Amino acid sequence: MTKMALSISILICVLIICISHSSDAFTVKPHASSGTRVYEDVYPSALYLNVPRLTLPDVATNKLEELDLKNPNEMSTEDYNSYSGAAIGGTLLFFLLPGALVSGLYGALGNVAAGAAFDFVFSALVGGGLAIYLSLRKDELGETVRSSGLSVYSAIQESGLPVVDRQQNLPLAVEEKLAQLDLLSINDLSEDDYDGFAGAAVAGTLLFFILPGALLSGIFGDLTESVLPSILSDFIFSALIGGGAAIYLSLRKDEVGTTVSGYGSSLLDAVDNLLDSIGGDSSDEVVKGELEEKVTMSE
């Protein structure tokens, strides 16, 4: 009976946390640079990410007390973040391995990968091939396609994505076949025309990959019928088992609870460092001003 009650209380906690994370899982707290003591007094928590708090009902807290577990309602902000981070970490761990195996997610992703490979080959041969033919025509249509392809090629270069260098001296057999079809010689194209020809080939491949190829390869069907249901079942399984186990362990009052909560704190610290590296230092002055304002108000 005690084990059943424990399971119910854990599931309640997990479901509450999952619901709270679905819409606004994290709020980013402004922080100051290291060494500024006055700001640490305003925000005593070492974590810059605050998980939204939820007040557990008395039924749940009473059951936690009976099981000699910590009450999340009475935790400090830092302890609550660590406890929540442990739940998130437990869910992620189970999601990646046991949950993915049980739900068949890896198999579904394998089917999508195989479909994508078929899609790419089909799109390169049909879509890319058609675009190449049109771009090598000697009429106005060819000029239009090369001009559009040049825009695509320029956009790729400006984005910093890698581009394939020009291939010089294509085999004579290829050039003879192009001449028989009354098409432009690739070897004789100007730099702009060659870039337009290459950009058209890329655009044609991508266009066919997104629609006709995806339909023929069955990628859309695999995504909607296999991948998405597998992700959903994997998440539910992982939240209940992995997240539930992490919640129980983090609420223990012994060394195990301290260790698991420490892992949760480390997880949120890692996320915070990632967000900080993405955001850079451009907003440091804004953050500093906000913190100074809070200090003034607290005084």
Side-chain angles (χ1 to χ4, degrees):
M1 192 67 179
T2 301
K3 293 183 178 180
M4 181 178 296
L6 172 59
S7 301
I8 294 175
S9 63
I10 290 175
L11 295 183
I12 291 174
C13 294
V14 173
L15 291 176
I16 291 174
I17 289 178
C18 292
I19 293 172
S20 69
H21 284 64
S22 62
S23 59
D24 186 18
F26 300 101
T27 56
V28 180
K29 181 192 293 184
H31 60 283
S33 58
S34 59
T36 309
R37 179 68 182 180
V38 65
Y39 299 149
E40 294 176 355
D41 292 337
V42 176
Y43 294 117
S45 173
L47 300 174
Y48 305 141
L49 283 173
N50 274 342
V51 179
R53 297 189 68 123
L54 283 176
T55 302
L56 296 180
D58 292 339
V59 175
T61 56
N62 291 338
K63 185 57 63 177
L64 293 175
E65 184 178 354
E66 291 178 10
L67 298 171
D68 195 28
L69 298 176
K70 290 180 286 188
N71 183 353
N73 293 345
E74 300 174 354
M75 289 181 175
S76 65
T77 299
E78 185 172 352
D79 288 342
Y80 191 89
N81 286 340
S82 300
Y83 145 79
S84 299
I88 295 169
T91 300
L92 290 177
L93 285 175
F94 269 72
F95 185 90
L96 294 175
L97 192 56
L101 292 175
V102 172
S103 65
L105 179 58
Y106 290 144
L109 291 176
N111 293 335
V112 171
F118 171 83
D119 186 359
F120 176 77
V121 173
F122 171 81
S123 301
L125 294 176
V126 180
L130 178 60
I132 288 173
Y133 167 77
L134 295 176
S135 67
L136 293 178
R137 287 174 61 104
K138 299 178 180 179
D139 54 10
E140 185 177 352
L141 176 59
E143 294 179 0
T144 301
V145 174
R146 288 194 299 276
S147 177
S148 300
L150 181 59
S151 299
V152 174
Y153 190 86
S154 299
I156 294 175
Q157 283 185 314
E158 292 173 0
S159 67
L161 293 174
V163 294
V164 180
D165 295 333
R166 178 168 183 168
Q167 303 297 316
Q168 297 289 350
N169 299 325
L170 290 180
L172 181 60
V174 175
E175 292 294 303
E176 291 177 349
K177 182 59 65 176
L178 293 176
Q180 292 176 8
L181 297 173
D182 194 28
L183 298 176
L184 294 174
S185 169
I186 297 177
N187 290 338
D188 296 336
L189 291 176
S190 66
E191 289 299 325
D192 284 347
D193 283 341
Y194 187 88
D195 291 346
F197 148 79
V202 172
T205 301
L206 289 178
L207 287 175
F208 267 73
F209 184 89
I210 293 173
L211 194 55
L215 291 175
L216 290 175
S217 63
I219 290 180
F220 291 147
D222 288 334
L223 287 174
T224 57
E225 297 175 8
S226 299
V227 175
L228 294 181
S230 295
I231 290 176
L232 180 60
S233 60
D234 185 359
F235 175 76
I236 294 175
F237 171 80
S238 302
L240 295 178
I241 306 300
I247 286 175
Y248 167 72
L249 294 175
S250 66
L251 292 179
R252 288 174 58 130
K253 299 179 180 179
D254 54 11
E255 186 177 349
V256 173
T258 302
T259 302
V260 174
S261 296
Y263 289 143
S265 176
S266 299
L267 174 63
L268 293 189
D269 276 338
V271 174
D272 174 72
N273 292 333
L274 177 62
L275 294 177
D276 192 52
S277 63
I278 294 174
D281 299 329
S282 59
S283 60
D284 279 354
E285 293 301 323
V286 176
V287 171
K288 184 177 180 180
E290 293 177 351
L291 289 168
E292 289 176 341
E293 183 179 353
K294 290 183 178 294
V295 171
T296 303
M297 294 176 61
S298 65
E299 293 176 348

